[in-house]
Amino acid sequence: LVATCQSHCERVHHVQQPGDLQREWLFGADIVGVTAGTSTPDPLIKEIEEALLSMSPDQRPLVDKALSAIPAMAGALSK
């Protein structure tokens, strides 16, 4: 998954737990994407998302809006 992401973006970091995140990775970033394999537990993904948000709390309204749109997009794509 990391190699696939790296083929589309030069700034890719493999994170296995929230403590792996480094604030300097976010400097100058307009968009931060999170991907996970199917075996990654949902609670761990949520912990990492929350850790990212704690590093940039002013972005929470934008993130919440984007996350709320995901189920609607998934429904549209499955039709």
Side-chain angles (χ1 to χ4, degrees), residues 15-30:
V15 174
Q16 293 183 310
Q17 58 187 358
D20 293 342
L21 295 168
Q22 297 179 28
R23 187 178 305 273
E24 58 267 16
W25 293 347
L26 304 177
F27 295 160
D30 292 323

Side-chain angles (χ1 to χ4, degrees), residues 6-79:
Q6 287 173 329
S7 71
H8 298 280
C9 178
E10 63 187 52
R11 290 175 63 181
V12 175
H13 303 283
H14 184 216
V15 174
Q16 293 183 310
Q17 58 187 358
D20 293 342
L21 295 168
Q22 297 179 28
R23 187 178 305 273
E24 58 267 16
W25 293 347
L26 304 177
F27 295 160
D30 292 323
I31 297 172
V32 175
V34 176
T35 62
T38 57
S39 64
T40 305
D42 288 344
L44 178 58
I45 297 168
K46 187 68 175 167
E47 285 180 45
I48 291 170
E49 289 173 348
E50 289 298 324
L52 279 167
L53 285 169
S54 73
M55 292 179 178
S56 188
D58 58 319
Q59 297 300 312
R60 180 169 289 280
L62 295 173
V63 172
D64 288 344
K65 184 176 180 181
L67 290 175
S68 68
I70 290 173
M73 289 187 310
L77 292 173
S78 66
K79 293 180 180 182

